[in-house]
Amino acid sequence: MISVVIPLYNEEENIPQLKERLVKATESWSEPFECVLVNDGSHDKTPQMLNQLAEEDSRFRIIHFSRNFGHQPAISAGIHHAKGDAVIIMDGDLQDPPEILLEFINKWKEGYEVVYAVRTKRKEGFFKKLGYATFYRVLHAISDIDIPLDSGDFCLMDRKVVNALNQEMPENIRFIRGMRAYAGFKQIGVTYERQERAAGEVKYTFKKLMGLAIDGLIGFSIFPLRLATYFGFLVAFPSFFAGIFFIVHRLLNFKIFGYSPEDTPGIATLAVAIFFLGGIILIILGIIGEYLGRIYIEVKKRPFYIVDSIKQKE
Ligand code: UDP
Ligand code: MG
C-alpha cells in the first residue's frame, strides 16, 4: 500500500481539486492507497470539508490537530500515522502535482528507498526564488550531511526510511528534508516544475519561512558556532603583533608615517575597532543563543504536535 501524507492549513479553496486530481492520479497505480490528511489547526472550512471527504471515501484518514503547530510537525504527524509500504509527502496547495507521483512509485519499484523531487523552475517572485536559491546553497556548503539542492519535502520514502524517522529521530525541531538526507538509504532525485499555488494565500509567513531556514542551518551544522573561533583568530593574531609593535614604537620612540608615539592620534581608529569587535561579539552571542534556545526546546521534550481527533470511515 502507498500512503500519501498532506498537511493542510486553511486550504478550503484547494480541497475539492486536490481530492479530484489525487484520486484520478492514483487510478494509474497498481497498489492500493490511503491518504493521511493533517488538519493543522485550520480555522476556515477545512476541518468540515475534510470530515466530509473521509465520510465519502474510507481511504482518507483525517488527523485534526488541537491548534496550528506548523508544516513540519504536520508532516511528522502524517508519517507517524501512515501505514503504507511507501509514504509520499506533498503539499495541499497543488504546487506539487499529483500526476508525477507515478514516476516516484516507479523509481521506488526499481529499488530506490527515497525519491525526492528537485525543482527545476519555480513560479514564484524574484526575491523568494533568490532567497530559496541562496538558502539551499549555504545549507549545502555548511551542512555536515549532503542535503540535495532545491529539493523540499515533496518525496516518496520507503517504510524503512519512515521507520528510521519515526523511531530513531525523536527531535522536537523537525526539518524533514534534512532528516531524510541524514537517514541515508538509496536516494534519487526526480526533476519537476514547481507549479503555482492552485488557490488561496501562502500559509508560510515570512517569519515561519525564516524560522524554517534557521532550523535547517542550525539543525544540520555547527559551522556557525565555529565562526566565533575563526573571527577570534582573525582579530587576535594581527592585534597581538600590533600590540608588540606599539610597545617597541613607544620604547624606541621613532617616527613612522610621520607619527611619533607622543602624537597619540587614533581616537577614531579606536572607536571603530571597539564598535567592530562589539558587533562581532554580539553576533556571535546571538548565534550561541540560537543553539542554546534550541537545546532548551529539545530538553523540554514537549510533543511537537497534539492530536484533537482522528476521522476515518470504518
Ligand atoms: N501548512 C501547514 N501549516 C502551516 C503552514 C502551512 O500545514 O502552519 C501547509 C499548507 O496548507 C500547505 C503546505 O503546508 O499544504 C505548504 O504551505 P504553503 O503553500 O503556504 O508554503 P510554500 O508553498 O511557500 O512552501
Ligand atoms: Mg505552497
Side-chain angles (χ1 to χ4, degrees):
M1 183 172 68
I2 307 222
S3 304
V4 181
V5 166
I6 309 177
L8 298 147
Y9 178 51
N10 297 340
E11 299 287 5
E12 55 181 12
E13 302 98 330
N14 288 316
I15 293 170
Q17 199 195 344
L18 176 66
K19 188 212 167 177
E20 198 194 298
R21 279 177 59 185
L22 180 65
V23 169
K24 190 136 190 288
T26 60
E27 281 160 13
S28 59
W29 306 357
S30 40
E31 298 75 15
F33 94 106
E34 65 158 8
C35 182
V36 181
L37 296 162
V38 183
N39 161 31
D40 184 13
S42 305
H43 38 72
D44 62 353
K45 290 202 203 72
T46 300
Q48 294 84 325
M49 291 175 80
L50 292 180
N51 285 342
Q52 175 72 27
L53 217 168
E55 204 46 55
E56 289 163 5
D57 192 331
S58 62
R59 294 171 299 180
F60 287 80
R61 182 169 341 123
I62 320 295
I63 317 281
H64 293 284
F65 276 6
S66 60
R67 65 168 171 86
N68 179 241
F69 280 89
H71 180 223
Q72 300 289 312
I75 294 177
S76 304
I79 65 174
H80 277 158
H81 286 87
K83 295 177 182 147
D85 305 296
V87 178
I88 290 167
I89 298 173
M90 61 185 271
D91 281 353
D93 57 359
L94 293 159
Q95 283 197 282
D96 307 330
E99 292 74 23
I100 75 160
L101 297 181
L102 183 61
E103 210 178 315
F104 286 16
I105 296 170
N106 288 336
K107 284 272 182 267
W108 173 60
K109 285 185 188 157
E110 278 173 33
Y112 290 100
E113 283 134 338
V114 173
V115 187
Y116 56 85
V118 181
R119 299 142 180 173
T120 48
K121 257 194 205 152
R122 268 180 181 276
K123 293 178 180 163
E124 272 158 328
F126 173 76
F127 285 105
K128 205 167 177 185
K129 278 199 278 201
L130 183 74
Y132 275 112
T134 323
F135 167 71
Y136 281 115
R137 272 137 201 92
V138 172
L139 181 65
H140 193 82
I142 70 168
S143 166
D144 313 323
I145 51 161
D146 210 359
I147 301 179
L149 292 174
D150 304 314
S151 64
D153 295 322
F154 188 24
C155 69
L156 175 149
M157 293 186 282
D158 185 79
R159 172 51 49 192
K160 281 194 276 185
V161 186
V162 174
N163 285 349
L165 259 64
N166 285 345
Q167 292 156 18
E168 332 275 359
M169 300 191 205
E171 60 212 74
N172 214 294
I173 299 172
R174 317 286 291 175
F175 186 66
I176 306 287
R177 59 202 77 168
M179 293 164 66
R180 186 183 71 209
Y182 186 92
F185 295 102
K186 258 173 85 183
Q187 307 215 354
I188 191 168
V190 168
T191 54
Y192 83 116
E193 249 180 58
R194 186 136 163 104
Q195 304 300 306
E196 265 169 282
R197 204 169 224 288
E201 292 286 303
V202 181
K203 302 303 176 315
Y204 249 103
T205 55
F206 181 71
K207 202 174 134 207
K208 276 187 186 169
L209 206 56
M210 286 306 289
L212 182 69
I214 298 175
D215 283 348
L217 293 176
I218 287 188
F220 287 89
S221 171
I222 56 161
F223 177 78
L225 281 175
R226 284 204 190 113
L227 276 180
T229 323
Y230 298 151
F231 274 128
F233 277 114
L234 198 74
V235 175
F237 259 120
S239 307
F240 177 73
F241 291 110
I244 291 186
F245 167 78
F246 285 127
I247 293 169
V248 174
H249 192 204
R250 186 90 218 173
L251 292 177
L252 303 183
N253 201 7
F254 56 89
K255 262 193 178 200
I256 187 164
F257 301 127
Y259 286 117
S260 79
E262 278 96 34
D263 295 340
T264 56
I267 296 299
T269 323
L270 261 183
V272 168
I274 288 171
F275 282 123
F276 174 69
L277 257 189
I280 287 184
I281 291 170
L282 282 179
I283 291 172
I284 284 164
L285 266 181
I287 293 175
I288 296 174
E290 289 287 343
Y291 283 89
L292 190 68
R294 281 167 174 74
I295 295 171
Y296 176 58
I297 291 171
E298 294 290 353
V299 296
K300 278 194 290 190
K301 285 200 169 48
R302 288 200 181 143
F304 41 87
Y305 64 85
I306 293 172
V307 173
D308 174 346
S309 59
I310 299 179
K311 288 265 167 355
Q312 183 168 29
K313 210 173 148 198
E314 291 308 313

